[in-house]
């Protein structure tokens, strides 16, 4: 039996401001810093240790990993950062307030943009300075790999090769891993691991800064999973994520 820990970054500044974030490289809030350290603390208390970490190339995830590892006295372990673990690219919605967007376009439309499997948000204009092709960290990506927007299906299609080629072999080699990523890149992974349908993935929301432990069999099929911590608080945090895309009443 293998164990792997998934962790969504702590609260970011744009989580706090309820803005669509995607590939925008915003940092953690004070609360997010506390969540990241708290994640490390509970992992340590429960006897977890790691010998390899994976994260995205976005600082809210990288810093969350640092803080959790620091709490566990594991800052020395190898860390691999890869764009494939980035948040889903939110296209032209990036920067907009989610509740205001719902007021303008309706809760239904925003739910489709946030949670439908295969309808992407409106894309960035190719001349928009926020296009990832203008960012040095994506210099090695091909034109086809650089998104102007993504639906969850697109995110699944870039996360899964990383799982199959890099993460899964490391698990099978007996390495104890932590993966610190984002709400939707982790939804992509959970969809695959638990074989969640396109309909059911709409209702799946991942809270910030809470370790999600998967036990996997020898074929890396999940046996069980659990969030570490106060289950009522975790459920409330998941419900709050779901409501972020509703217009304020
Ligand atoms: O804005 C985003 O990039 C994500 C994660 O914060 O939001 P959502 O939960 O709306 O997909």
């Amino acid at each position: 039996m293998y164990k792997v820990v998934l962790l969504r970054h702590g609260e970011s500044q744009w989580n706090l401001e309820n803005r669509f974030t995607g590939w925008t490289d915003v940092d953690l809030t004070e609360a997010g810093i506390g969540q990241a350290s708290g994640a490390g603390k509970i992992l340590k208390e429960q006897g977890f240790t790691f010998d390899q970490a994976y994260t995205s190339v976005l600082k809210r995830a990288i810093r969350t990993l640092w803080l959790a590892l620091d709490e566990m006295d594991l800052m020395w372990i190898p860390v691999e950062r890869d764009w494939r673990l980035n948040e889903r690219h939110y296209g032209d919605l990036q920067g907009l307030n989610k509740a205001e967007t719902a007021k303008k376009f309706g809760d239904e439309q925003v739910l489709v943009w946030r949670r439908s499997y295969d309808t992407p948000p409106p894309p960035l204009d190719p001349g928009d300075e926020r296009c990832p092709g203008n960012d040095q960290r994506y210099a090695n990506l091909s034109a086809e790999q650089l998104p102007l927007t993504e639906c969850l299906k697109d995110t699944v299609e870039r996360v899964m090769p990383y799982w199959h080629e890099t993460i899964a072999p490391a698990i099978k080699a007996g390495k104890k891993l932590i993966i610190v990523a984002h709400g939707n890149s982790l939804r992509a992974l959970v969809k695959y691991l638990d074989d969640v349908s396109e309909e059911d993935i709409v209702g799946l929301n991942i809270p910030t800064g809470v370790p999600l432990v998967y036990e996997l069999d020898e074929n890396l099929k999940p046996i069980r999973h659990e969030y570490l911590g106060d289950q009522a608080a975790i459920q409330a945090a998941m419900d709050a994520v779901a409501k972020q895309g509703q217009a304020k009443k």
Side-chain angles (χ1 to χ4, degrees), residues 5 37 42 55 223 237:
V5 174
S37 298
I42 196 166
T55 190
I223 301 163

Side-chain angles (χ1 to χ4, degrees), residues 80-241:
E80 194 170 297
R81 299 173 185 79
D82 199 288
W83 70 276
R84 290 181 184 273
L85 293 175
N86 271 16
E87 181 54 290
R88 174 161 74 101
H89 196 291
Y90 249 114
D92 205 29
L93 297 183
Q94 289 184 174
L96 299 181
N97 178 282
K98 295 175 191 178
E100 284 167 14
T101 306
K103 201 168 172 194
K104 190 165 167 197
F105 295 97
D107 287 4
E108 285 285 302
Q109 178 61 72
V110 168
L111 184 65
V112 168
W113 283 332
R114 290 184 78 212
R115 293 292 176 261
S116 76
Y117 188 59
D118 51 12
T119 306
L124 285 176
D125 184 282
D128 193 309
E129 61 178 21
R130 297 172 295 169
C131 289
N134 297 323
D135 190 327
Q136 199 196 337
R137 82 190 86 185
Y138 305 117
N140 294 333
L141 274 65
S142 66
E144 302 78 62
Q145 287 174 324
L146 290 168
L148 298 177
T149 185
E150 287 184 309
C151 57
L152 188 64
K153 183 166 181 273
D154 298 323
T155 309
V156 167
E157 283 167 12
R158 60 146 157 106
V159 169
M160 291 324 299
Y162 192 64
W163 170 267
H164 291 302
E165 287 157 26
T166 304
I167 299 177
I171 297 173
K172 287 197 169 168
K175 292 215 169 123
K176 297 187 183 69
L177 309 183
I178 181 166
I179 303 167
V180 182
H182 301 262
N184 294 296
S185 50
L186 292 174
R187 287 174 71 241
L189 191 51
V190 166
K191 182 180 186 307
Y192 167 79
L193 288 173
D194 287 333
D195 200 14
V196 182
S197 69
E198 292 176 21
E199 294 73 44
D200 289 348
I201 198 68
V202 174
L204 189 117
N205 288 286
I206 297 182
T208 53
V210 185
L212 172 55
V213 181
Y214 268 84
E215 292 179 9
L216 308 171
D217 71 12
E218 68 277 14
N219 299 313
L220 305 190
K221 294 284 161 232
I223 301 163
R224 60 186 287 271
H225 65 259
E226 69 166 330
Y227 281 106
L228 302 185
D230 175 341
Q231 298 302 308
I234 292 165
Q235 186 57 54
M238 291 194 283
D239 294 344
V241 174

